[in-house]
Short mmCIF file of all heavy atoms in Angstrom, two decimals:
data_model
loop_
_atom_site.label_atom_id
_atom_site.label_comp_id
_atom_site.label_asym_id
_atom_site.label_seq_id
_atom_site.Cartn_x
_atom_site.Cartn_y
_atom_site.Cartn_z
N GLY L 1450 94.88 87.82 108.72
CA GLY L 1450 95.88 88.55 109.42
C GLY L 1450 95.99 90.14 109.10
O GLY L 1450 95.19 90.57 108.26
N SER L 1451 96.94 90.79 109.60
CA SER L 1451 97.00 92.17 109.57
C SER L 1451 98.46 92.64 109.15
O SER L 1451 99.49 91.99 109.57
CB SER L 1451 96.58 92.94 110.76
OG SER L 1451 95.22 92.73 111.06
N LEU L 1452 98.54 93.71 108.48
CA LEU L 1452 99.85 94.29 108.17
C LEU L 1452 99.66 95.86 108.11
O LEU L 1452 98.53 96.35 107.85
CB LEU L 1452 100.38 93.94 106.82
CG LEU L 1452 101.03 92.56 106.62
CD1 LEU L 1452 101.37 92.31 105.20
CD2 LEU L 1452 102.37 92.45 107.49
N ARG L 1453 100.65 96.60 108.51
CA ARG L 1453 100.70 98.07 108.34
C ARG L 1453 101.81 98.52 107.46
O ARG L 1453 103.01 98.32 107.80
CB ARG L 1453 100.80 98.68 109.73
CG ARG L 1453 100.54 100.19 109.82
CD ARG L 1453 100.84 100.85 111.08
NE ARG L 1453 100.29 102.19 111.26
CZ ARG L 1453 100.90 103.12 111.81
NH1 ARG L 1453 102.06 103.00 112.38
NH2 ARG L 1453 100.31 104.29 111.86
N LEU L 1454 101.47 99.25 106.35
CA LEU L 1454 102.42 99.68 105.46
C LEU L 1454 102.76 101.13 105.82
O LEU L 1454 101.77 101.85 106.12
CB LEU L 1454 101.97 99.51 104.01
CG LEU L 1454 101.49 98.24 103.50
CD1 LEU L 1454 101.10 98.30 102.07
CD2 LEU L 1454 102.68 97.15 103.74
N SER L 1455 103.97 101.50 105.61
CA SER L 1455 104.40 102.93 105.77
C SER L 1455 105.05 103.48 104.56
O SER L 1455 105.73 102.62 103.84
CB SER L 1455 105.32 103.10 106.98
OG SER L 1455 104.69 102.69 108.19
N CYS L 1456 104.92 104.70 104.29
CA CYS L 1456 105.66 105.33 103.12
C CYS L 1456 106.18 106.68 103.58
O CYS L 1456 105.30 107.59 103.89
CB CYS L 1456 104.71 105.40 101.94
SG CYS L 1456 105.48 106.27 100.57
N ALA L 1457 107.43 106.87 103.55
CA ALA L 1457 107.98 108.15 103.91
C ALA L 1457 108.49 108.82 102.70
O ALA L 1457 109.19 108.35 102.00
CB ALA L 1457 109.12 107.91 104.95
N ALA L 1458 108.06 110.09 102.67
CA ALA L 1458 108.51 110.94 101.47
C ALA L 1458 109.69 111.88 101.87
O ALA L 1458 109.60 112.48 102.94
CB ALA L 1458 107.36 111.71 100.97
N SER L 1459 110.66 111.97 101.09
CA SER L 1459 111.73 112.96 101.26
C SER L 1459 111.86 113.74 100.00
O SER L 1459 111.52 113.38 98.89
CB SER L 1459 112.99 112.21 101.64
OG SER L 1459 113.48 111.38 100.60
N GLY L 1460 112.66 114.92 100.22
CA GLY L 1460 112.82 115.85 99.13
C GLY L 1460 111.78 116.92 99.11
O GLY L 1460 110.87 116.84 99.87
N SER L 1461 111.85 117.83 98.17
CA SER L 1461 110.97 118.91 98.05
C SER L 1461 109.69 118.54 97.25
O SER L 1461 109.87 118.27 96.05
CB SER L 1461 111.63 120.15 97.54
OG SER L 1461 112.70 120.57 98.39
N ILE L 1462 108.58 118.59 97.84
CA ILE L 1462 107.27 118.36 97.20
C ILE L 1462 106.42 119.56 97.41
O ILE L 1462 105.96 119.78 98.57
CB ILE L 1462 106.62 117.15 97.60
CG1 ILE L 1462 107.54 115.82 97.42
CG2 ILE L 1462 105.38 116.82 96.79
CD1 ILE L 1462 106.92 114.62 97.87
N PHE L 1463 106.21 120.41 96.37
CA PHE L 1463 105.44 121.57 96.58
C PHE L 1463 103.92 121.45 96.19
O PHE L 1463 103.68 120.70 95.38
CB PHE L 1463 106.17 122.80 95.80
CG PHE L 1463 107.52 123.04 96.18
CD1 PHE L 1463 108.60 122.53 95.44
CD2 PHE L 1463 107.79 123.80 97.27
CE1 PHE L 1463 109.93 122.74 95.75
CE2 PHE L 1463 109.12 124.02 97.67
CZ PHE L 1463 110.14 123.53 96.85
N GLY L 1464 103.10 122.24 96.90
CA GLY L 1464 101.70 122.25 96.56
C GLY L 1464 100.94 121.33 97.52
O GLY L 1464 101.51 120.65 98.33
N ARG L 1465 99.70 121.32 97.35
CA ARG L 1465 98.84 120.47 98.09
C ARG L 1465 98.96 119.01 97.69
O ARG L 1465 99.17 118.74 96.52
CB ARG L 1465 97.25 120.87 97.98
CG ARG L 1465 96.94 122.19 98.57
CD ARG L 1465 95.53 122.45 98.59
NE ARG L 1465 94.98 122.47 97.24
CZ ARG L 1465 93.94 121.65 96.78
NH1 ARG L 1465 93.40 120.91 97.65
NH2 ARG L 1465 93.43 121.81 95.65
N LYS L 1466 99.13 118.12 98.62
CA LYS L 1466 99.46 116.77 98.32
C LYS L 1466 98.36 115.72 98.65
O LYS L 1466 97.84 115.74 99.76
CB LYS L 1466 100.74 116.34 99.16
CG LYS L 1466 101.96 117.16 98.79
CD LYS L 1466 103.10 116.83 99.65
CE LYS L 1466 102.94 117.48 100.97
NZ LYS L 1466 103.13 118.95 100.87
N VAL L 1467 98.03 114.92 97.67
CA VAL L 1467 97.16 113.77 97.86
C VAL L 1467 98.04 112.50 97.95
O VAL L 1467 98.86 112.35 97.06
CB VAL L 1467 96.19 113.66 96.76
CG1 VAL L 1467 95.27 112.34 96.98
CG2 VAL L 1467 95.27 114.87 96.67
N MET L 1468 97.95 111.82 99.03
CA MET L 1468 98.70 110.57 99.16
C MET L 1468 97.91 109.44 99.04
O MET L 1468 96.74 109.38 99.54
CB MET L 1468 99.43 110.62 100.57
CG MET L 1468 100.18 111.99 100.82
SD MET L 1468 101.04 111.97 102.37
CE MET L 1468 102.60 111.21 101.94
N GLY L 1469 98.43 108.24 98.55
CA GLY L 1469 97.65 107.13 98.44
C GLY L 1469 98.44 105.87 98.20
O GLY L 1469 99.69 105.88 98.19
N TRP L 1470 97.71 104.75 98.19
CA TRP L 1470 98.26 103.42 97.96
C TRP L 1470 97.55 102.85 96.75
O TRP L 1470 96.30 102.85 96.57
CB TRP L 1470 98.08 102.60 99.17
CG TRP L 1470 98.96 102.96 100.37
CD1 TRP L 1470 98.54 103.82 101.34
CD2 TRP L 1470 100.36 102.62 100.60
NE1 TRP L 1470 99.55 103.89 102.29
CE2 TRP L 1470 100.58 103.21 101.80
CE3 TRP L 1470 101.22 101.81 99.93
CZ2 TRP L 1470 101.90 103.02 102.41
CZ3 TRP L 1470 102.46 101.64 100.46
CH2 TRP L 1470 102.82 102.24 101.62
N TYR L 1471 98.39 102.20 95.93
CA TYR L 1471 97.87 101.37 94.74
C TYR L 1471 98.53 99.97 94.85
O TYR L 1471 99.46 99.84 95.57
CB TYR L 1471 98.33 102.07 93.42
CG TYR L 1471 97.65 103.38 93.27
CD1 TYR L 1471 97.99 104.47 93.94
CD2 TYR L 1471 96.68 103.60 92.25
CE1 TYR L 1471 97.42 105.77 93.87
CE2 TYR L 1471 95.98 104.89 92.10
CZ TYR L 1471 96.45 105.94 92.81
OH TYR L 1471 95.74 107.05 92.63
N ARG L 1472 97.99 99.11 94.09
CA ARG L 1472 98.49 97.71 94.13
C ARG L 1472 98.39 97.09 92.63
O ARG L 1472 97.58 97.49 91.89
CB ARG L 1472 97.83 96.86 95.17
CG ARG L 1472 96.39 96.53 94.78
CD ARG L 1472 95.76 95.74 96.04
NE ARG L 1472 94.38 95.42 95.73
CZ ARG L 1472 93.63 94.90 96.63
NH1 ARG L 1472 93.95 94.60 97.86
NH2 ARG L 1472 92.27 94.53 96.32
N GLN L 1473 99.28 96.21 92.39
CA GLN L 1473 99.33 95.41 91.17
C GLN L 1473 99.61 94.00 91.38
O GLN L 1473 100.60 93.64 91.92
CB GLN L 1473 100.38 96.07 90.18
CG GLN L 1473 100.32 95.54 88.83
CD GLN L 1473 101.13 96.35 87.84
OE1 GLN L 1473 102.03 97.14 88.26
NE2 GLN L 1473 100.84 96.22 86.53
N ALA L 1474 98.71 93.19 90.94
CA ALA L 1474 98.89 91.70 91.02
C ALA L 1474 99.35 91.21 89.76
O ALA L 1474 99.24 91.80 88.66
CB ALA L 1474 97.62 90.94 91.34
N PRO L 1475 99.97 90.00 89.66
CA PRO L 1475 100.58 89.48 88.38
C PRO L 1475 99.46 89.37 87.36
O PRO L 1475 98.38 88.92 87.56
CB PRO L 1475 101.05 88.13 88.80
CG PRO L 1475 101.40 88.29 90.23
CD PRO L 1475 100.39 89.20 90.73
N GLY L 1476 99.78 89.95 86.17
CA GLY L 1476 98.85 89.81 85.06
C GLY L 1476 97.75 90.83 85.10
O GLY L 1476 96.82 90.74 84.24
N ARG L 1477 97.76 91.73 86.06
CA ARG L 1477 96.68 92.65 86.17
C ARG L 1477 97.15 94.07 86.17
O ARG L 1477 98.36 94.42 86.45
CB ARG L 1477 95.82 92.49 87.47
CG ARG L 1477 95.22 91.07 87.49
CD ARG L 1477 94.59 90.85 88.91
NE ARG L 1477 93.47 91.70 89.13
CZ ARG L 1477 92.80 91.63 90.32
NH1 ARG L 1477 93.02 90.75 91.22
NH2 ARG L 1477 91.75 92.56 90.41
N GLN L 1478 96.43 95.00 85.85
CA GLN L 1478 96.75 96.45 85.90
C GLN L 1478 96.77 96.96 87.34
O GLN L 1478 96.11 96.51 88.24
CB GLN L 1478 95.76 97.37 85.06
CG GLN L 1478 95.76 97.03 83.60
CD GLN L 1478 94.86 97.97 82.78
OE1 GLN L 1478 93.87 98.53 83.35
NE2 GLN L 1478 95.12 98.14 81.50
N ARG L 1479 97.61 97.97 87.50
CA ARG L 1479 97.72 98.65 88.77
C ARG L 1479 96.30 99.28 89.09
O ARG L 1479 95.73 99.93 88.20
CB ARG L 1479 98.79 99.71 88.75
CG ARG L 1479 99.10 100.35 90.13
CD ARG L 1479 100.31 101.25 90.02
NE ARG L 1479 101.51 100.51 89.67
CZ ARG L 1479 102.65 101.06 89.60
NH1 ARG L 1479 102.89 102.32 89.95
NH2 ARG L 1479 103.72 100.26 89.22
N GLU L 1480 95.76 99.12 90.40
CA GLU L 1480 94.61 99.70 90.70
C GLU L 1480 94.67 100.44 92.02
O GLU L 1480 95.55 100.24 92.83
CB GLU L 1480 93.59 98.49 91.01
CG GLU L 1480 93.99 97.56 92.09
CD GLU L 1480 92.92 96.52 92.38
OE1 GLU L 1480 91.75 96.69 91.91
OE2 GLU L 1480 93.24 95.53 93.11
N LEU L 1481 93.84 101.41 92.19
CA LEU L 1481 93.78 102.21 93.39
C LEU L 1481 93.30 101.44 94.58
O LEU L 1481 92.32 100.63 94.44
CB LEU L 1481 92.81 103.37 93.18
CG LEU L 1481 92.61 104.41 94.29
CD1 LEU L 1481 92.40 105.87 93.81
CD2 LEU L 1481 91.46 104.09 95.19
N VAL L 1482 93.96 101.64 95.70
CA VAL L 1482 93.47 101.01 97.02
C VAL L 1482 92.87 102.05 97.89
O VAL L 1482 91.68 101.80 98.33
CB VAL L 1482 94.72 100.31 97.71
CG1 VAL L 1482 94.26 99.73 99.12
CG2 VAL L 1482 95.27 99.17 96.85
N ALA L 1483 93.53 103.12 98.06
CA ALA L 1483 93.04 104.25 98.96
C ALA L 1483 93.90 105.48 98.69
O ALA L 1483 94.97 105.43 98.48
CB ALA L 1483 93.03 103.81 100.42
N THR L 1484 93.20 106.61 98.93
CA THR L 1484 93.78 107.94 98.88
C THR L 1484 93.42 108.71 100.04
O THR L 1484 92.23 108.58 100.66
CB THR L 1484 93.49 108.64 97.53
OG1 THR L 1484 92.09 108.94 97.43
CG2 THR L 1484 94.01 107.85 96.43
N ILE L 1485 94.18 109.71 100.45
CA ILE L 1485 93.83 110.66 101.47
C ILE L 1485 94.27 111.98 101.08
O ILE L 1485 95.42 112.19 100.68
CB ILE L 1485 94.52 110.21 102.85
CG1 ILE L 1485 94.04 111.10 103.98
CG2 ILE L 1485 95.95 110.05 102.84
CD1 ILE L 1485 94.32 110.65 105.40
N GLY L 1486 93.40 112.98 101.19
CA GLY L 1486 93.69 114.28 100.67
C GLY L 1486 94.36 115.21 101.79
O GLY L 1486 94.50 114.72 102.97
N SER L 1487 94.73 116.34 101.39
CA SER L 1487 95.38 117.24 102.38
C SER L 1487 94.50 117.60 103.57
O SER L 1487 95.04 117.89 104.64
CB SER L 1487 95.88 118.49 101.73
OG SER L 1487 94.71 119.17 101.12
N SER L 1488 93.16 117.60 103.34
CA SER L 1488 92.25 117.91 104.43
C SER L 1488 91.87 116.66 105.24
O SER L 1488 91.13 116.73 106.26
CB SER L 1488 90.95 118.48 103.83
OG SER L 1488 90.30 117.66 103.08
N GLY L 1489 92.34 115.54 104.91
CA GLY L 1489 92.04 114.27 105.61
C GLY L 1489 90.97 113.53 104.99
O GLY L 1489 90.56 112.34 105.57
N SER L 1490 90.33 113.87 103.89
CA SER L 1490 89.37 113.11 103.18
C SER L 1490 89.92 111.92 102.69
O SER L 1490 91.06 112.03 102.15
CB SER L 1490 88.58 113.93 102.15
OG SER L 1490 89.54 114.41 101.15
N THR L 1491 89.12 110.82 102.74
CA THR L 1491 89.70 109.53 102.27
C THR L 1491 88.77 108.88 101.21
O THR L 1491 87.56 109.18 101.05
CB THR L 1491 89.74 108.54 103.44
OG1 THR L 1491 88.48 108.30 104.03
CG2 THR L 1491 90.75 109.02 104.50
N ASN L 1492 89.34 107.98 100.37
CA ASN L 1492 88.66 107.32 99.34
C ASN L 1492 89.24 105.89 99.29
O ASN L 1492 90.42 105.76 99.33
CB ASN L 1492 88.80 108.09 97.99
CG ASN L 1492 88.01 107.33 96.90
OD1 ASN L 1492 86.83 107.23 96.99
ND2 ASN L 1492 88.71 106.89 95.90
#
């Protein structure tokens, strides 16, 4: 199946912003899922 997650930021955030998603399963450390830079580059 599929899901679409959204994250809305509010308040003052200054400077160039890298936005991303991380996840944490029970008993495991938080891990990177994906990031996107200010220029649109993704990882």
Side-chain angles (χ1 to χ4, degrees):
S1451 297
L1452 285 173
R1453 191 187 193 217
L1454 305 183
S1455 299
C1456 173
S1459 63
S1461 297
I1462 306 177
F1463 300 100
R1465 295 189 296 124
K1466 296 176 282 292
V1467 177
M1468 310 182 81
W1470 292 93
Y1471 295 72
R1472 67 186 182 187
Q1473 187 169 20
R1477 300 174 63 180
Q1478 292 186 336
R1479 188 172 300 185
E1480 64 175 347
L1481 181 147
V1482 177
T1484 61
I1485 182 167
S1487 59
S1488 66
S1490 61
T1491 57
N1492 183 60

